[in-house]
């Protein structure tokens, strides 16, 4: 069953990756000015690395701002989600794991990161709407 679902995607792998890269690049360019103003942080890809553009995220200054952003985007009918719960604080991590230190950086990233819609069938008009609404939120003076 999985093979029947995944095989057509493998046949179109290059096309799918190319489209995701175009979408990723468009987001990255659109939000450059907001990072320059210190409102967000965008993904950083070292020049010597190539990535597969499987997701695009923004990082906000704190959990409160990220929560306000997710709520704002939901009101605009755009689904944005936080990315992950750190392993050290997940139920399995608490039960089976161990770590050293206070995990300050991991916790900060978890609290401030939000993923934007990025998938093969995302239309240009849909992405433009996402960019418009993200920009509206970031241009609001209270953030």
């Amino acid at each position: 069953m999985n093979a029947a679902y995944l095989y057509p995607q493998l046949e179109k792998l290059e096309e799918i990756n190319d489209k995701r890269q175009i979408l990723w690049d468009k987001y990255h360019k659109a939000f450059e000015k907001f990072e320059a103003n210190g409102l967000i942080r965008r993904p950083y890809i070292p020049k010597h690395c190539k990535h597969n553009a499987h997701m695009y995220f923004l990082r906000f200054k704190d959990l409160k701002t990220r929560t306000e952003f997710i709520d704002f985007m939901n009101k605009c009918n755009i689904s944005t989600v936080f990315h992950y719960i750190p392993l050290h604080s997940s139920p399995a991590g608490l039960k089976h794991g161990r770590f050293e230190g206070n995990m300050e950086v991991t916790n900060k990233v978890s609290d401030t990161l939000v993923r934007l819609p990025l998938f093969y069938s995302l239309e240009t008009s849909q992405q433009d709407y996402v960019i418009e609404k993200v920009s509206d939120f970031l241009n609001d003076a209270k953030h």
Side-chain angles (χ1 to χ4, degrees):
M1 183 75 107
N2 285 338
Y5 177 74
L6 293 175
Y7 186 70
Q9 291 181 31
L10 287 173
E11 289 183 316
K12 296 175 83 176
L13 182 64
E14 192 170 321
E15 179 184 332
I16 290 169
N17 284 343
D18 289 348
K19 170 123 187 241
R20 285 194 328 215
Q21 188 67 57
I22 289 166
L23 295 167
W24 195 99
D25 290 343
K26 186 172 181 175
Y27 276 145
H28 206 61
K29 181 69 176 153
F31 304 130
E32 182 176 21
K33 65 184 175 188
F34 297 111
E35 184 173 45
N37 292 339
L39 296 172
I40 56 161
R41 291 184 63 187
R42 300 175 303 152
Y44 170 73
I45 309 296
K47 292 196 185 303
H48 65 279
C49 294
K50 181 168 173 56
H51 64 96
N52 67 358
H54 75 286
M55 73 169 173
Y56 194 87
F57 64 86
L58 299 174
R59 285 195 44 215
F60 290 90
K61 65 181 178 181
D62 54 34
L63 177 60
K64 179 181 179 291
T65 307
R66 185 195 71 183
T67 301
E68 290 171 356
F69 175 77
I70 291 171
D71 290 345
F72 174 83
M73 297 299 277
N74 279 336
K75 289 175 184 166
C76 298
N77 295 315
I78 300 169
S79 178
T80 56
V81 295
F82 62 87
H83 182 60
Y84 70 98
I85 296 171
L87 184 57
H88 71 274
S89 59
S90 71
L94 291 169
K95 183 176 179 181
H96 303 290
R98 58 179 180 251
F99 61 92
E100 295 289 328
N102 64 12
M103 306 305 283
E104 181 180 337
V105 173
T106 301
N107 291 330
K108 177 76 172 178
V109 171
S110 175
D111 284 349
T112 60
L113 191 144
V114 63
R115 292 172 53 174
L116 299 182
L118 195 157
F119 45 89
Y120 177 71
S121 61
L122 185 67
E123 299 291 334
T124 301
S125 61
Q126 293 171 311
Q127 187 182 32
D128 289 342
Y129 181 68
V130 172
I131 291 169
E132 175 189 338
K133 294 306 170 187
V134 171
S135 299
D136 287 349
F137 179 86
L138 294 172
N139 281 322
D140 187 338
K142 70 179 177 181
H143 305 290

